[in-house]
Amino acid sequence: MRVPLSWLREYVDLPAGETGRDVAAKLVDAGLEVETVEQLGGGLKGPLVVGQVLTIEELEGFRKPIRFCTVDVGSANGTGEPQEIVCGARNFAVGDKVVVVLPGAVLPGDFAIASRKTYGRTSHGMICSGDELGMGDDGTHGIIVLPPEHEVGTDAIELLQLVDEVLDIDITPDRGYCMSMRGVAREAATAYGLPLRDPALLDVPAPNSYGYPVKVDDPAGCDRFTARTVTGLDPDARSPIWLTRRLQKAGMRPISLAVDITNYVMLELGQPLHAYDRASVEGTIGVRRAEQGEKFTTLDGVKRTLDAEDLVITDNSGPIGLAGVMGGANTEIADSVTDPETGQVTGTTDVVIEAAHFDSVSISRTARRLKLSSEASKRFERGVDPQAAAAAAQRTVDLLVLLAGGTAEAGVTEVIAPGAPRTIAMPADHPDRVAGMEYGRETVVRRLQEIGCDVYGQDELVVTVPSWRPDLAAPNDLAEEVIRLEGYGNLPSTLPQVPSGRGLTARQQLHRRVGRALAGAGYVEALSYPFIGEGVFDQLQLPAHDVARQVVKLVNPISDEEPALRTTLLPGLLGALRRNDSRGSHDLALFETGSVFRAAAQPGVAVRLPVDRRPTDEEIATLNAALPAQPRYAAVVLAGAREQAGWWGKGRPADWADAVQAARALAVEAGAELVVRQGQYGPWHPGRCAELVVTLGGVEQVMGHAGELHPRVVKAMGLPARTSAMELDLDRLAEAGGEALRAPRISSFPVATQDVALIVDASVPASSVEAALRKGAGELLESLRLFDVFTGEQVGEGKKSLAYALRFRAADRTLTAEESTAARDAAVALAGERTGAVLRGA
């Protein structure tokens, strides 16, 4: 909502020295969001005057039409002689009154005006358009042609109200009443402690039986409909300067007098209106729900298909307006047309004014479904004062009579559905308990009365809510009004007392260690949105029965394409990798730790927690029980080079082993024993997929996978070739780790190293051989590392050679060669028993 300061002063006697920024500060303290304060006419300097075109000479020989004009500017030029000006515009004629800027003036944008030679003539100034003066679009895109009554030489800066300040206010959904000058003026009056001149306080005639006939078939969708008729309008009447300028400053384009007046009253009172050409309306005006599939052409010329929930305005011929959104093309106010032969002006002379109140939910659904947001729908969605309809209609009638020479018919139609003012019961000390400070009953009553409430009672208040505040529905809403008017800055700031000695939980400590470990290994953290579309599961080739497909969907998602909460971190990470790769970063190693969301077998219903007291343990437990499970996961994705090439070496590409190593690093941080073995799951390549296993309660559990992604997944998601990934359940990994990680004891005795090369069948996983070696080596084994894999004729067809480095160390002595050899032989023997391994060369 754009609020010109000069217009605001009509309703509130603001201090003379108050600037737009001063007023903005007061409104911000009152809870409004003032985004900017625009200085109109900043840097503008005269002389800028009204002139009258005396002569026009068409200049020939140029690529575009050029005119050499003489303009009477009175004594503004110091000589009284006609001013010679070169101009390229075509929308004015001899005798027209125009706006002239003379040499020495400065226009907005620091554009200095001087006499200059152009097109073979000397131009002493400019004939101005609205854009050049910073006035905005007036619909003509040409020179400003003023009404003939303005005298030559009049100061145009004051006439056109070029110097002003405009407050741009972002109106939140609960402040719909501030989408009008009346609403903002009420807030300004309250903020300054000044009286308000309410523009809606008008003498409105009572409804009678001879007004224009109206029939409302859906009182739930339209609980108030006011109709007034004005006849005998002058079709040639134009909007006065003060009216067009206020519309322009408020961000609206002038169109025609009747339409401009309805827009002006809407901005002034917040009540959307519509003017119908009475000659085009056939019979009774009605309000009903549309028929499913019914067709209707709106004012923008688009033929729309309506839904049975849409509310429409009708006459005997069918729909003539989309209620609360946009009028119809069939009853549009006709533009004035001048007959070139007779000079007679024809156009709309009789209008029917509609001022109605529509259901906000219905209007919101219609506007969103049709993607047809209008100034009217924005106001109805946020809530319009139903009591303002009659005053808005009267204000429109008065302006049409005053500016268009019309005659107001005596008939007044007002259809009103039965209803009663809303009342709210609230303890007088309720705002005190919500804010945590004492206001007192007198302050509470005074503040509620300032916003228009009627308040009765002593300790228990009964508050009647004003009609323009549909957002006030509960005691907490009233408490919020008291708090904001008393000032959010006056609320006490009390920091909670943190018990000493607790620090981070074990889960938080693991989360930090994991992040540091991955960052230290060269990964970059990427944070993705926790929303996904179900189509991504098909891209990841997850089975139809996979638990990851059981998602929790949001009722009101940010994007209809991603309505579900994620059950895996991979879609977000792979999307980040794809975007970075497409922008030229090809060597990527990304990681993320975060929650995934698992749907419960039977979804619970969340309770609404109170805000005036601490929720009970039972209420919190009930709320937690209704939430989906949210385990914390960790994932990495890799593509491109893992080690860069240079003088130090050739480098190497990232592969499945790097993804597996990331999982091993996390297991070390958690203090868990991780078993890596061959697996097959969803997005991973079946021959290059590692299954990550831990033992919990004596039972092996798969807690993640790592490896190279399947080529079909890479193609479906637009990823670089040979992309690798790893994902595991951090919570289960931490559970397998048990107690906090303890630093290893460093032995002072030397290590004994034994290398073995074992030949096994090619189908035997290296992890199985490694597990057997560990088991057979016993307690003296400190570490075991696979350092070579070989296949070829030397080991036989269908065989492979696995070379391991075994490190033995005792905590209390130096091992002898016989002890280390015996431990090695025991390890080899068990590996041969379990996997069929034999020593290479034996």
Side-chain angles (χ1 to χ4, degrees), residues 33 115 178 206 242 250 293 315 338 361 407 427 441 449 589 593 656 770 788:
E33 298 181 13
S115 298
C178 284
W242 65 266
D315 64 2
T338 303
V361 175
T407 301
R441 179 187 178 280
Q449 289 175 338
T593 59
W656 62 269
E770 180 179 329
D788 183 58

Side-chain angles (χ1 to χ4, degrees), residues 1 32-33 169-173 175-179 184 382:
M1 176 71 187
L32 294 182
E33 298 181 13
I169 305 176
D170 184 15
I171 306 299
T172 54
R175 293 279 186 265
Y177 65 97
C178 284
M179 293 195 75
V184 176
R382 289 165 173 80

Side-chain angles (χ1 to χ4, degrees), residues 100-123:
V100 179
V101 57
L102 301 177
V106 179
L107 295 184
D110 199 24
F111 181 30
I113 304 299
S115 298
R116 65 189 183 96
K117 189 170 183 179
T118 179
Y119 297 102
R121 303 292 179 95
T122 300
S123 181

Side-chain angles (χ1 to χ4, degrees), residues 88-335:
R90 315 288 299 175
N91 67 313
F92 64 95
V94 172
D96 282 345
K97 299 286 181 68
V98 294
V99 178
V100 179
V101 57
L102 301 177
V106 179
L107 295 184
D110 199 24
F111 181 30
I113 304 299
S115 298
R116 65 189 183 96
K117 189 170 183 179
T118 179
Y119 297 102
R121 303 292 179 95
T122 300
S123 181
H124 302 281
M126 287 174 52
I127 301 176
C128 297
S129 68
D131 289 337
E132 290 164 339
L133 298 179
M135 295 172 56
D137 182 18
D138 62 357
T140 65
H141 300 288
I143 293 303
I144 301 171
V145 178
L146 300 171
E149 62 267 19
H150 297 291
E151 295 185 5
V152 169
T154 301
D155 182 6
I157 295 178
E158 182 178 352
L159 175 67
L160 299 177
Q161 304 172 21
L162 297 178
V163 179
D164 202 349
E165 293 181 275
V166 178
L167 283 64
D168 193 349
I169 305 176
D170 184 15
I171 306 299
T172 54
D174 61 333
R175 293 279 186 265
Y177 65 97
C178 284
M179 293 195 75
S180 67
M181 295 299 303
R182 180 194 185 200
V184 176
R186 180 177 285 108
E187 290 296 316
T190 302
Y192 279 93
L194 298 171
L196 169 72
R197 288 188 291 274
D198 191 344
L201 295 180
L202 302 174
D203 291 331
V204 179
N208 49 57
S209 59
Y210 42 94
Y212 199 93
V214 173
K215 180 182 179 183
V216 177
D217 294 330
D218 191 336
C222 175
D223 57 8
R224 185 179 294 263
F225 195 107
T226 300
R228 300 289 298 275
T229 304
V230 181
T231 60
L233 301 180
D234 180 4
D236 197 32
R238 296 290 182 267
S239 299
I241 291 175
W242 65 266
L243 178 58
T244 60
R245 288 299 292 135
R246 286 191 170 178
L247 292 176
Q248 288 173 328
K249 291 177 185 179
M252 301 190 74
R253 181 172 63 87
I255 298 174
S256 64
L257 179 57
V259 176
D260 291 349
I261 288 175
T262 58
N263 286 336
Y264 176 83
V265 175
M266 177 185 68
L267 292 172
E268 184 178 49
L269 301 181
Q271 168 67 53
L273 301 109
H274 191 72
Y276 300 96
D277 187 338
R278 184 175 180 179
S280 303
V281 180
E282 301 178 12
T284 301
I285 292 178
V287 182
R288 63 169 172 82
R289 297 288 174 177
E291 298 174 3
Q292 186 65 39
E294 191 171 11
K295 305 294 184 181
F296 172 63
T297 303
T298 47
L299 280 173
D300 55 3
V302 178
K303 191 172 185 179
R304 305 182 186 276
T305 302
L306 304 182
D307 187 84
E309 287 190 357
D310 296 334
L311 203 62
V312 293
I313 313 297
T314 64
D315 64 2
N316 293 345
S317 65
I320 61 174
L322 198 55
V325 180
M326 186 174 287
N330 50 351
T331 57
E332 182 180 6
I333 300 295
D335 293 332

